[in-house]
């Protein structure tokens, strides 16, 4: 992995300041509030500049930490307006925001506005799927009047329920750093650990009366402009923190290893994971005519999908401990862990072994680190270790096919929760055959250049997810999505119709009409693109050097068979050439056949990206490939009026 954090220039003045003072506003040098004092080197590619930042974490025990933050950030343009806004999460029982100030300065360093804790908006943290939660936040936003402006924030948070102690996020998107510091104080026997990501920085460590002090400092870091298609977790510098013992909502736990943490989760679940004997007997009766365990699991999975709905309830440890299986069975709802636990109980009722699996849900998100156990999960799924294969179940999706995970949980590290503890295991890697877009197009061209098209699309995997989601949208939104995603020419009539959704294949149909489909009419000739839409509707820019790997959402396979009916009084003059384009991780093929008897053209095209991640070293080859595909798709079909 290339290191982007390569230049750490330490100022002697600030070293002394960092070591010998507590970070209070009067200690920050006045010139760090004046925009003109920003070095020119830190303005390049920057939307904001961290003039000064101190993050101080005093860890007093496994459930006691005080966070102190003090930052001075100059906002250069409207792309960094979020630096003048903050939302601080808390829980009334287990955390408190002790103090807060936000002070605004103009470009000369003159104070123009000051906000206090009493100015913040105190609100519940809810979304459309959360029924009730005791998670809250205090939020505030300042509207920038003139650029540049400088925003100073000083606040303190006290936490008495811990799962972890966070990280030091050194640099944000297109944000340079002038002076930044981090300090962690923690008992020497707490098992403190840290993990560098995209940086090789090392802390100064001292010990005072059995308390270890870790101090990091950086200066003059240039802004990072992330490349298109790159993932931030592979680029931005960060130091992640961990400790071995924790107490979360009164429940003591151990993060010495993934195994020990898995035991903690198992103990949370073990008293809520079975159905009462009467209900378990009913479940067995429902499945007693089904022969194989896998078919029983499929039946019960579909039964759960039809019977349950996703609703989040997060109260206290309930954010980690699921509802009982009996509760979900009676109420017919639950969040991800409650539904996974319910599915676990259904399978247990028919003597099928399964395991809970916690995972970070997010397409191309950072994976859990095998050697650095910390809590970095936001979702739960289920794993069934059948004799001949391992089956994974996404229990929150009512339309998800049995045994298929969606993009957000494929190719990730999931923590399997067993009686013996936790074990990191890879979820299945997505492949192109699982993410198919197969289409049939019948295009009828008229002699005046108008046309009508019937389009049938059969989709699986990620494409199926897109078209199921699209079915809930308004017509205008459907049209906008399809025209952008497929590069469809503006039609005069657009009609979107739902088709079947069977065996993991979603069908949709489009009816399109064009008053003018012809690109150019010249004398007795007409020039057309020999297609209604592009299989590949994007290219990537030419770069002198690519630093980061390029990420697709998934590998893909797209095909289209297009039948073109020519006007009765026209014939072919020029047919586009057949092409076969290849690069290391994909290929594009297109062929054209003219049937003179029917005055009809049939084209067959196939476009494949076989890998989800394209190494940076292969970016130039991919760029040339996509450019060649675009040119191939733009080749003209020329027809002429018969003599």
């Amino acid at each position: 992995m290339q290191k982007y954090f390569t230049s750490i220039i330490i100022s002697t003045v600030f070293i002394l300041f960092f070591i010998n003072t507590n970070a209070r506003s009067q200690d920050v040098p006045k010139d760090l509030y004046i925009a003109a004092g920003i070095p020119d080197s830190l303005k390049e590619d920057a939307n904001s500049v961290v003039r000064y930042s101190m993050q101080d974490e005093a860890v007093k025990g496994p459930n006691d930490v005080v966070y102190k933050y003090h930052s001075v950030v100059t906002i250069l343009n409207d792309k960094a307006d979020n630096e003048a806004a903050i939302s601080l999460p808390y829980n009334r029982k287990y955390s408190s925001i002790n103090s807060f100030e936000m002070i605004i300065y103009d470009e000369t360093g003159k104070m123009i506005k000051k906000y206090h804790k009493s100015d913040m908006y105190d609100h519940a943290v809810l979304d459309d799927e959360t029924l009730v939660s005791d998670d809250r936040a205090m939020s505030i936003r300042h509207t920038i009047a003139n650029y540049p402006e400088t925003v100073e924030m000083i606040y303190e948070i006290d936490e008495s329920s811990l799962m972890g102690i966070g990280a030091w996020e050194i640099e944000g998107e297109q944000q340079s750093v002038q002076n930044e510091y981090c300090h962690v104080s923690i008992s020497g026997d707490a098992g403190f650990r840290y993990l560098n990501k995209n940086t090789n920085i090392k802390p100064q460590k001292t010990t005072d009366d059995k308390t270890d002090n870790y101090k990091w400092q950086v200066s003059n870091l240039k802004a990072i402009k992330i490349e298109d298609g790159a993932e931030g977790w592979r680029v931005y510098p960060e130091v992640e923190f961990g400790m071995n013992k924790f107490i979360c909502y009164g429940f003591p736990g151990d993060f010495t290893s993934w195994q020990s943490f898995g035991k903690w989760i198992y103990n949370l679940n073990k008293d809520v994971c079975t159905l009462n004997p009467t209900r378990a007997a009913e479940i067995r009766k429902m499945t007693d005519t089904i022969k194989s365990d896998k078919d029983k699991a499929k039946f019960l999975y579909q039964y759960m999908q039809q019977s349950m709905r996703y609703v989040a309830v997060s109260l206290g440890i309930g954010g980690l401990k699921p509802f009982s299986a009996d509760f979900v069975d009676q109420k017919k709802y639950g969040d991800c862990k409650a539904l996974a636990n319910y599915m676990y109980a259904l399978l247990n009722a028919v003597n099928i072994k399964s395991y809970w699996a916690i995972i970070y849900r997010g397409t191309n998100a950072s994976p859990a680190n095998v050697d650095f156990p910390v809590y970095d999960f936001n979702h739960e799924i289920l794993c069934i270790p059948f004799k001949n294969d391992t089956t994974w179940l996404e229990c929150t999706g009512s339309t998800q096919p049995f045994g298929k995970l969606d993009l957000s949980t494929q190719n990730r590290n999931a923590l399997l929760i067993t009686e013996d503890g936790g074990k990191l295991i890879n979820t299945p890697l997505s492949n192109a055959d699982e993410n198919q877009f197969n289409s049939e197009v019948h295009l009828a061209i008229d002699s005046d250049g108008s046309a009508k098209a019937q389009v049938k699309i059969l989709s699986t995997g990620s494409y199926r997810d897109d078209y199921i989601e699209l079915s809930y949208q308004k017509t205008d939104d459907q049209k906008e999505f399809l025209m952008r995603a497929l590069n469809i020419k503006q039609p005069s009539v657009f009609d979107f119709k739902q088709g079947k959704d069977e065996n993991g294949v979603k069908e949709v149909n489009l009816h399109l009409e064009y008053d003018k489909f012809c690109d150019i009419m010249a004398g007795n000739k007409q020039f057309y693109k020999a297609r209604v839409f592009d299989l590949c509707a994007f290219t990537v820019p030419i770069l002198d050097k690519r630093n980061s790997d390029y990420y697709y959402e998934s590998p893909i396979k797209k095909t289209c068979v297009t039948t073109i009916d020519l006007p009765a009084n026209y014939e072919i003059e020029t047919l586009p050439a057949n092409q076969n384009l290849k690069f290391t991780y994909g290929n594009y093929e297109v062929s054209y056949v003219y049937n003179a008897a029917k005055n009809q053209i049939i084209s067959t095209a196939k476009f494949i990206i076989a890998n989800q991640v394209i190494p940076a070293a292969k970016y130039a080859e991919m760029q040339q490939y996509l450019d060649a595909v675009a040119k191939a798709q733009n080749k003209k079909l020329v027809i002429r009026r018969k003599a």
Side-chain angles (χ1 to χ4, degrees):
M1 179 185 298
Q2 182 170 350
K3 300 294 183 184
Y4 289 81
F5 180 78
T6 58
S7 176
I8 303 175
I9 305 172
I10 302 175
S11 164
T12 303
V13 173
F14 276 99
I15 292 175
L16 295 174
F17 164 77
F18 175 50
I19 294 174
N20 295 318
T21 67
N22 295 320
R24 300 182 59 83
S25 59
Q26 62 263 33
D27 296 323
V28 179
K30 291 181 179 179
D31 61 347
L32 294 184
Y33 296 87
I34 301 171
I38 300 173
D40 289 341
S41 61
L42 297 185
K43 295 178 183 178
E44 185 180 350
D45 290 330
N47 298 323
S48 66
V49 183
V50 178
R51 315 298 301 282
Y52 167 86
S53 176
M54 165 64 86
Q55 176 175 316
D56 187 285
E57 301 187 17
V59 185
K60 301 175 182 180
N63 63 337
D64 188 357
V65 61
V66 177
Y67 299 97
K68 295 179 181 180
Y69 297 89
H70 183 187
S71 65
V72 179
V73 178
T74 299
I75 299 172
L76 302 178
N77 56 57
D78 60 358
K79 294 180 181 178
D81 279 357
N82 63 307
E83 295 293 337
I86 193 167
S87 185
L88 300 176
Y90 76 98
N91 180 290
R92 283 176 174 164
K93 186 176 181 181
Y94 291 102
S95 59
S96 62
I97 299 169
N98 297 336
S99 60
F100 176 85
E101 283 185 336
M102 181 165 70
I103 309 163
I104 311 301
Y105 304 87
D106 67 12
E107 63 178 318
T108 68
K110 179 183 176 182
M111 187 180 77
I112 56 177
K113 184 79 173 178
K114 189 171 185 178
Y115 300 90
H116 301 278
K117 180 181 174 182
S118 58
D119 298 313
M120 302 182 83
Y121 171 48
D122 190 341
H123 58 97
V125 179
L126 299 172
D127 57 35
D128 292 340
E129 294 176 324
T130 302
L131 183 64
V132 62
S133 172
D134 54 9
D135 293 327
R136 300 190 65 79
M138 297 189 73
S139 304
I140 195 166
R141 174 179 290 276
H142 168 75
T143 301
I144 305 293
N146 297 289
Y147 301 95
E149 281 188 4
T150 295
V151 178
E152 181 174 31
M153 291 194 192
I154 308 169
Y155 57 92
E156 179 178 306
I157 300 173
D158 199 333
E159 296 277 358
S160 60
S161 175
L162 299 180
M163 182 69 79
I165 52 174
W168 180 33
E169 297 177 357
I170 298 171
E171 202 169 355
E173 183 175 1
Q174 291 192 252
Q175 180 180 70
S176 59
V177 174
Q178 196 166 357
N179 307 281
E180 193 167 334
Y181 312 94
C182 181
H183 171 230
V184 175
S185 63
I186 188 168
S187 172
D189 61 1
F192 176 73
R193 297 168 280 120
Y194 68 90
L195 175 69
N196 284 355
K197 296 182 176 180
N198 307 312
T199 176
N200 56 10
I201 187 173
K202 295 181 180 179
Q204 300 175 21
K205 180 184 176 183
T206 59
T207 301
D208 180 22
D209 192 24
K210 298 183 180 179
T211 297
D212 291 337
N213 290 277
Y214 296 83
K215 299 176 181 180
W216 292 262
Q217 48 198 10
V218 297
S219 300
N220 299 328
L221 302 183
K222 292 184 177 181
I224 297 172
K225 186 176 182 180
I226 194 167
E227 297 166 310
D228 289 342
E231 291 295 328
W233 60 271
R234 294 286 306 274
V235 177
Y236 296 123
E238 176 182 325
V239 181
E240 189 168 14
F241 303 138
M243 62 179 186
N244 289 349
K245 302 295 182 181
F246 66 90
I247 300 176
C248 182
Y249 293 101
F251 289 77
D254 187 315
F255 245 127
T256 304
S257 66
W258 287 118
Q259 182 181 21
S260 63
F261 177 67
K263 288 182 179 179
W264 187 78
I265 293 288
Y266 181 83
N267 288 330
L268 283 183
N269 293 2
K270 67 181 182 180
D271 62 341
V272 294
C273 61
T274 56
L275 294 167
N276 67 73
T278 302
R279 186 62 174 135
E282 292 173 356
I283 298 300
R284 285 192 291 274
K285 187 174 182 181
M286 288 167 55
T287 59
D288 60 6
T289 61
I290 302 174
K291 293 182 179 180
S292 75
D293 281 352
K294 192 161 188 175
D295 286 340
K296 285 183 180 180
K298 182 177 182 179
F299 173 86
L300 291 173
Y301 179 71
Q302 292 172 342
Y303 168 77
M304 182 204 66
Q305 287 181 305
Q306 295 162 8
S307 305
M308 302 296 156
R309 63 191 178 96
Y310 178 88
V311 175
V313 176
S314 180
L315 295 171
I317 196 65
L320 295 163
K321 183 182 178 73
F323 292 146
S324 72
D326 280 328
F327 178 92
V328 175
D329 192 54
Q330 293 166 15
K331 302 297 184 180
K332 307 302 180 189
Y333 68 78
D335 60 10
C336 64
K337 61 188 174 296
L339 295 176
N341 185 60
Y342 179 64
M343 187 67 209
Y344 176 100
L346 291 178
L347 294 169
N348 186 60
V350 295
N351 298 315
I352 296 176
K353 185 65 179 175
S354 64
Y355 297 108
W356 307 287
I358 56 175
I359 195 168
Y360 188 88
R361 186 174 195 173
T363 304
N364 289 324
S366 176
N369 189 304
V370 174
D371 300 317
F372 194 80
V374 292
Y375 189 80
D376 193 14
F377 305 102
N378 62 4
H379 190 52
E380 187 166 313
I381 55 180
L382 202 67
C383 177
I384 312 175
F386 288 119
K387 183 177 180 180
N388 297 320
D389 67 79
T390 299
T391 297
W392 295 88
L393 300 181
E394 170 55 70
C395 298
T396 60
S398 61
T399 60
Q400 195 69 19
F402 174 76
K404 297 291 184 181
L405 297 177
D406 62 24
L407 292 182
S408 67
T409 51
Q410 292 177 354
N411 193 28
R412 327 251 336 110
N413 286 342
L415 186 65
L416 217 60
I417 308 300
T418 75
E419 299 90 336
D420 298 323
K423 180 182 179 182
L424 278 183
I425 184 172
N426 292 334
T427 60
L429 177 66
S430 183
N431 62 62
D433 287 335
E434 294 174 329
N435 300 284
Q436 293 198 42
F437 172 103
N438 298 311
S439 55
E440 298 174 6
V441 178
H442 191 168
L443 175 66
I445 299 174
D446 208 341
S447 57
D448 62 357
S450 63
K452 295 181 180 180
Q454 301 294 334
V455 180
K456 178 180 179 180
I457 299 171
L458 300 174
S459 56
T460 68
S462 60
Y463 290 112
R464 175 178 175 269
D465 293 342
D466 289 343
Y467 286 106
I468 288 176
E469 177 65 26
L470 196 64
S471 67
Y472 300 112
Q473 305 300 315
K474 296 178 181 177
T475 300
D476 287 347
D477 294 333
Q478 292 171 340
K479 181 179 179 181
E480 180 184 355
F481 172 83
L482 288 165
M483 290 186 65
R484 182 180 68 253
L486 301 177
N487 197 23
I488 295 176
K489 190 175 183 178
Q490 179 70 45
S492 53
V493 174
F494 174 90
D495 185 25
F496 176 88
K497 291 184 178 179
Q498 296 294 328
K500 298 178 292 184
D501 182 26
E502 296 179 346
N503 300 317
V505 180
K506 173 65 177 174
E507 177 185 338
V508 298
N509 294 278
L510 306 178
H511 173 73
L512 308 173
E513 294 185 14
Y514 295 89
D515 295 333
K516 184 183 177 183
F517 190 74
C518 180
D519 291 328
I520 301 172
M521 301 183 76
N524 68 339
K525 297 180 182 180
Q526 295 182 3
F527 295 76
Y528 293 88
K529 292 178 182 177
R531 52 169 179 70
V532 172
F533 58 82
D534 292 336
L535 284 183
C536 176
F538 69 97
T539 57
V540 295
I542 298 173
L543 298 177
D544 291 335
K545 181 183 179 182
R546 176 77 181 191
N547 295 308
S548 307
D549 294 346
Y550 188 97
Y551 283 74
Y552 287 90
E553 286 195 349
S554 71
I556 57 175
K557 178 183 287 187
K558 304 179 75 174
T559 66
C560 185
V561 177
T562 301
T563 301
I564 305 174
D565 293 337
L566 302 183
N569 56 336
Y570 277 75
E571 62 186 2
I572 286 291
E573 177 169 284
T574 304
L575 201 60
N578 297 342
Q579 296 210 41
N580 189 347
L581 307 171
K582 295 182 181 294
F583 99 111
T584 303
Y585 300 107
N587 68 281
Y588 174 79
E589 300 172 15
V590 62
S591 63
Y592 301 89
V593 176
Y594 176 56
N595 186 324
K598 294 183 178 181
N599 202 24
Q600 193 176 73
I601 299 166
I602 297 178
S603 74
T604 303
K606 179 171 67 174
F607 173 74
I608 294 175
I609 296 290
N611 265 37
Q612 190 164 344
V613 183
I614 309 301
K618 293 292 183 180
Y619 176 87
E621 185 188 352
M622 180 185 73
Q623 188 279 325
Q624 293 167 9
Y625 166 70
L626 294 176
D627 229 25
V629 171
K631 290 176 182 178
Q633 292 180 141
N634 284 326
K635 295 294 184 182
K636 291 292 189 288
L637 162 68
V638 185
I639 63 174
R640 65 187 175 202
R641 192 179 296 110
K642 293 179 180 178

